[in-house]
Each structure stands twice: as structure tokens, then as C-alpha cells.
Amino acid sequence: MEWKKLLTQTRLINEEKDPKAFDDYYISPFERDYERIVSSAAFRRLQDKTQVFPLSKSDFVRTRLTHSIEVSTIAKQLGIMCFQNTSLYQHLPIDCDEQNNEKLKSQRVGDIEAVLSCAGLLHDLGNPPFGHVGEEIIREWFKGNLKDIYLLRCNDEKPVSDLLSKKQITDLENFEGNAQALRILSKARHQSEINLPFSIISALIKYPTRCDEIGEAHIRHKMGCYQAEESTFLQIAEKVGTMNADGEVIRNPLAYLVEAADDIAYMTADLEDAVKSGIVSVDELLHFFENTYESLGEKNRESQQHMDRTKEIIDKLKSLNETEKDKVKVMSQWGTYLRKWLMYVVCWRFSKSYEDILHGKFNYDLFYDNNHSLTEKLLKKAMSEFVFDSRVIVEPEISAQIILNFLLDKFVPAVVRFDNYGVMTMQDKKVITLISSNYINDYFKAKETDVITDEIELLYRRILIATDFISGMTDGYAKTLYKKMSGLE
């Protein structure tokens, strides 16, 4: 891969050039994209979407919006650390034939930082309401219900599961927030979403994988695009240079840093939120850490050096806990200390594995075999132990399941029969009127501009109207709409 291509300004649609006078006060196009993102409706909706604590109205805990801002900040800092480092593994993001162009080097480093900042803001754009549990609910609904929705075709009623292709069904049954983010941004070609450069979108593609390419490797274990966006996915890869000689799409180097920023943000912040919310105490966390890290290290065959570095992190928390009475402050100070070390080892791994990353040969995350790989495992185990199965989380998740299942039950059958395909009931017609017009318009624009005439492809695209609408909802809107439609309000 070449940085000249990776930092392309090519977009899905061409834009008018700014007036010449704007050159007097230059600002990077990527910085302008940052402003576009924070001003967009899709980004603003993240303020009422769950990070970890579903339907929480507490002002203490993170929402998807505050989490995304933290990820954006960490991602940008990782860019600065990696590309301005002075370590033995120094690699400047510059193509070989331009080694002596210091101005271009500086500009590209700045562009990398801006791209990472934008990608960090956008990384959760496609997540549905109620956090990751929302993704799982949507997947499970499609696995269990497609066979029960019928469509009249050729004078014969058939279940939707018998009509859709295997790839289309796999898309629906593997609903993925990352793939949904690509779908949202791809709508720029219809002028209905922010028109971002391919470089930013490529850095967002966490899994450069289509539904029929899902495998065991870390970067391949989920899909990164739906069939509907496959042509856009390939167009971006070709232009950015993330397609190898075999035609396989490989991960953008900056996607590794965005992923690491996400991991660092939630591993440190979510435990802090758990303490603030009273789910777990600092003493309980310390007891768990001290009694778990050795067995976890031995199980994962961690080196003694890794064990020692993790012990230093635990000892730091213990020291803060002994000297500071305010336990929320303890977690905040510890989180700051912990983030610095996690960022340091992530940059070390990125720099050390830079050549493999640049050639699409690195199939791990950036915590692979670094001095805090055990720390990462311990933090994730603590979240699983104390947070994900806690009553504070489980009860709202059950509510989320009821809400999303109800909405899917109503909207998917209605869109299946929409656009003069099958006989719509009176309820179907009324349900369609509740769908935001932009999602309906997106369907017709895609039908026209992509010249879609195949009935099965159109059926698949109509179902995506429902997933677009429901996954785009905030927690509050989904809850309110459920109450109104079910007669509870």
C-alpha cells in the first residue's frame, strides 16, 4: 500500500471547488470533513444511543457520542505517536520516491492524524439502538423469522427465506454495525449523506470482508460490507490501494489504529462507569485482578515480562486506592495512567509490525504479543465478570429485546410487500407511513440509479429499508415508538 493512495481525496460524488478567496486561510480538506461529521444528523443521534448501559439516563455514563469523541481523540494521538515517533522502529508515511520532501512528509502526517480523528468519530455510526445487544437481537430476529414472512410471487405464496439468495440471507442474519456504517456513508452517491473521501471510509472498514469471506482470522471473523454496498466497497479498495494482486481486499493500516483506540477507550472508560454506577467497587476490582492475572497469564502462555507489566498496572490501582478516598477519582486517575501505557504498547506493535501491516500480512489486533497483551485480556475479563451480566445491564437488555423484536415484527413484513409487491394490509400501509421518508427515497434512488430490475434484489433492498430505519433510531425514539404502536402510551 502507498500513502499517496491511502490519503486520497476521491469521493463518491464530485463537489464544487471552494472560492479562490478561501485559499487565503487554508484548512485541510480532512479538517473540513471533521466539521461535516459533527454537524451531521447521523452523528448527533449517537448522543442517545447506548454505549454499555442500555436506556441509562444517568449523566455519569458514556453514550455512543461521548465514547466516539474519546475514540477520535485517542486515534488522533496514536497517529501522532506512531508517525512522529523516535523509536528504533521509526517509519514515516511517505512513498519511497519522495523521501527528501519534508513539506510533503509533514502534510501527510497531518492528514493521517485528521483521517484518524474523523474515523474515530464515525466508528460507531452504524450501531443500532441499545448497544451491541441491539446488533445481536436483529441478527437473531432474521434467523428466526424470515421463514414466516410470505410474499406472493408467480401466483404462489413463498416464504422470504426461500426467495432470497444465500448471500442476502447471510447479510441479514449477520447484521453488523461496521457494515451498516459503510452503508450509511455509501448513500452519499444519492446525495442523502455526508460525502466523505475514500481515505476516511477505508480507515473505518474494520473487517475488509464480504459475507462469503468470513473466516477465523481476527480481521476476517465478521463482515465489513453488505451485498448492497459490494460495488462501493470494491471501488474504495481499488482507489485507496487496499486491494492486493489476488483481488482480495486487505485492511487499511489506519483501521488498526482506529480499532485500538476503540478498545482502549472502552476498556478504561467502561470500568470507570461501572464504579460510578455502583455495579462494582474498586476493592472488588482489585481483588479480582490480584486473584486472576496469574492464572489468566498462564492459561494464555504469557511471558513473565507481560505478567510483570500487568502487575505494575494492578499495583498502581492499589496505590491510588490507598491514598485517595474518592473512588470515582481513583478510577479516573488510574484510567489516565492505564491509557498512556496501552497507547504506548499499541504504537510499539504498529511500528514493529509496520511492514506486515502495509503489505496486508498482519492478521491480529495491535495488542498481539506486546507488554500489555495480558492487561488487555484482564480488563476484558473484568468487564465480562462484573458488567455484562449484571442486573443493571441485563434488565434493560430484556426491554431492548422486546422493543426491537416488536418493531421488526411490524416493519419488515410491511416493507416486504411495499412498492406493489404483494397485497398490503391496512396495517402495512399505516406502518410504511411511519418510516422516515429519507429511507424510502434511498430505496427508490438506488432502484433508479443502479437500474435494479431483479425482483429478488429489490426484495432484499426493501428489507434494508426496515433495517436502516430501525438501526438508525436512538434508544429513546425506539422506546417511544414501541409504546405508541403497542398502545402503551
Side-chain angles (χ1 to χ4, degrees), residues 215-234:
E216 295 298 321
H218 169 73
I219 66 170
R220 302 282 179 192
H221 76 282
K222 292 183 180 180
M223 66 179 185
C225 84
Y226 302 128
Q227 183 182 324
E229 283 71 56
E230 189 168 330
S231 61
T232 302
F233 174 76
L234 295 174

Side-chain angles (χ1 to χ4, degrees), residues 407-476:
L407 295 175
L408 288 161
D409 284 342
K410 297 298 181 183
F411 285 100
V412 175
V415 295
V416 162
R417 295 184 279 267
F418 175 62
D419 194 22
N420 297 317
Y421 289 93
V423 179
M424 296 184 73
T425 66
M426 182 181 295
Q427 185 183 78
D428 288 339
K429 294 176 182 177
K430 292 183 180 296
V431 165
I432 290 294
T433 66
L434 297 176
I435 299 176
S436 300
S437 60
N438 56 302
Y439 298 112
I440 301 291
N441 293 336
D442 287 338
Y443 165 77
F444 284 115
K445 287 175 182 176
K447 181 180 177 180
E448 179 183 352
T449 58
D450 297 343
V451 195
I452 304 173
T453 57
D454 181 77
E455 288 189 13
I456 302 305
E457 179 65 20
L458 287 170
L459 167 61
Y460 164 69
R461 297 300 183 100
R462 292 198 301 279
I463 294 174
L464 293 182
I465 296 174
T467 57
D468 285 351
F469 178 49
I470 293 172
S471 67
M473 293 179 183
T474 63
D475 292 16

Side-chain angles (χ1 to χ4, degrees), residues 237-414:
E238 185 174 4
K239 191 67 181 179
V240 174
T242 55
M243 184 181 291
N244 65 22
D246 297 325
E248 180 185 45
V249 178
I250 54 181
R251 189 191 259 194
N252 186 314
L254 299 185
Y256 288 94
L257 294 174
V258 176
E259 177 188 43
D262 185 22
D263 287 344
I264 292 169
Y266 89 76
M267 283 192 296
T268 55
D270 291 350
L271 281 178
E272 181 184 338
D273 284 350
V275 171
K276 289 178 181 177
S277 302
I279 292 175
V280 63
S281 69
V282 176
D283 289 337
E284 287 173 316
L285 276 178
L286 267 172
H287 183 266
F288 174 79
F289 289 153
E290 291 176 332
N291 287 276
T292 305
Y293 91 98
E294 285 189 357
S295 59
L296 187 63
E298 291 170 2
K299 179 181 178 182
N300 289 276
R301 299 180 180 179
E302 297 283 352
S303 70
Q304 187 59 50
Q305 185 178 10
H306 293 180
M307 302 270 280
D308 292 343
R309 297 293 82 78
T310 299
K311 183 65 165 58
E312 289 173 4
I313 294 295
I314 297 171
D315 288 344
K316 180 65 175 181
L317 178 59
K318 187 175 183 179
S319 173
L320 289 169
N321 192 44
E322 290 172 347
T323 57
E324 176 61 59
K325 292 183 179 180
D326 185 341
K327 301 311 175 187
V328 172
K329 193 172 181 180
V330 167
M331 290 302 294
S332 178
Q333 291 176 345
W334 183 65
T336 299
Y337 174 82
L338 179 56
R339 273 192 296 276
K340 288 178 180 178
W341 271 118
L342 295 179
M343 290 169 70
Y344 178 88
V345 295
V346 157
C347 290
W348 176 85
R349 170 51 64 196
F350 184 87
S351 298
K352 194 171 190 299
S353 303
Y354 182 78
E355 291 301 328
D356 283 344
I357 288 171
L358 210 57
H359 289 89
K361 297 178 180 179
F362 189 74
N363 291 317
Y364 310 95
D365 65 26
L366 295 179
F367 284 101
Y368 172 73
D369 195 25
N370 67 34
N371 278 350
H372 282 290
S373 55
L374 175 58
T375 305
E376 179 230 15
K377 294 181 181 73
L378 188 63
L379 293 170
K380 289 183 175 179
K381 191 170 180 63
M383 286 294 294
S384 179
E385 179 77 15
F386 294 107
V387 179
F388 296 141
D389 292 328
S390 69
R391 190 182 186 93
V392 174
I393 299 295
V394 171
E395 287 181 349
E397 284 183 348
I398 294 172
S399 298
Q401 189 166 27
I402 293 170
I403 292 168
L404 288 180
N405 280 337
F406 175 88
L407 295 175
L408 288 161
D409 284 342
K410 297 298 181 183
F411 285 100
V412 175

Side-chain angles (χ1 to χ4, degrees), residues 53-248:
F53 301 88
L55 300 174
S56 173
K57 296 302 178 186
S58 170
D59 58 357
F60 286 113
V61 301
R62 271 88 170 170
T63 64
R64 284 284 166 194
L65 183 72
T66 51
H67 167 70
S68 295
I69 293 170
E70 288 176 332
V71 172
S72 174
T73 303
I74 294 171
K76 182 176 182 178
Q77 291 176 349
L78 290 176
I80 295 170
M81 292 168 69
C82 284
F83 294 102
Q84 297 190 38
N85 77 75
T86 57
S87 74
L88 295 174
Y89 307 103
Q90 185 167 1
H91 293 278
L92 290 177
I94 197 72
D95 297 334
C96 294
D97 59 336
E98 298 161 332
Q99 283 181 338
N100 299 318
N101 191 331
E102 292 300 324
K103 182 178 180 181
L104 183 56
K105 285 182 182 180
S106 177
Q107 180 183 329
R108 287 194 178 165
V109 169
D111 286 347
I112 285 171
E113 294 164 13
V115 168
L116 286 167
S117 188
C118 290
L121 286 181
L122 292 164
H123 82 283
D124 275 345
L125 195 71
N127 280 33
F130 314 121
H132 288 299
V133 71
E135 289 178 296
E136 190 57 39
I137 292 167
I138 294 172
R139 293 173 195 144
E140 291 300 319
W141 189 91
F142 279 110
K143 288 175 183 176
N145 290 276
L146 283 179
K147 65 182 185 302
D148 299 321
I149 304 172
Y150 284 79
L151 182 66
L152 184 64
R153 188 168 181 265
C154 300
N155 297 318
D156 184 24
E157 272 201 329
K158 291 185 178 181
V160 168
S161 57
D162 287 355
L163 297 173
L164 294 173
S165 70
K166 183 179 179 180
K167 285 183 68 172
Q168 291 166 341
I169 291 174
T170 302
D171 274 2
L172 298 171
E173 292 182 349
N174 289 274
F175 177 88
E176 173 61 46
N178 295 283
Q180 187 65 24
L182 175 60
R183 175 164 172 75
I184 291 170
L185 296 175
S186 294
K187 292 181 180 183
R189 67 182 186 274
H190 305 311
Q191 298 183 321
S192 59
E193 273 299 342
I194 43 178
N195 184 33
L196 294 176
F198 290 173
S199 48
I200 292 176
I201 300 175
S202 178
L204 267 180
I205 300 176
K206 188 175 181 179
Y207 309 105
T209 308
R210 289 164 282 188
C211 68
D212 56 351
E213 298 172 331
I214 297 174
E216 295 298 321
H218 169 73
I219 66 170
R220 302 282 179 192
H221 76 282
K222 292 183 180 180
M223 66 179 185
C225 84
Y226 302 128
Q227 183 182 324
E229 283 71 56
E230 189 168 330
S231 61
T232 302
F233 174 76
L234 295 174
Q235 179 187 0
I236 290 171
E238 185 174 4
K239 191 67 181 179
V240 174
T242 55
M243 184 181 291
N244 65 22
D246 297 325
E248 180 185 45

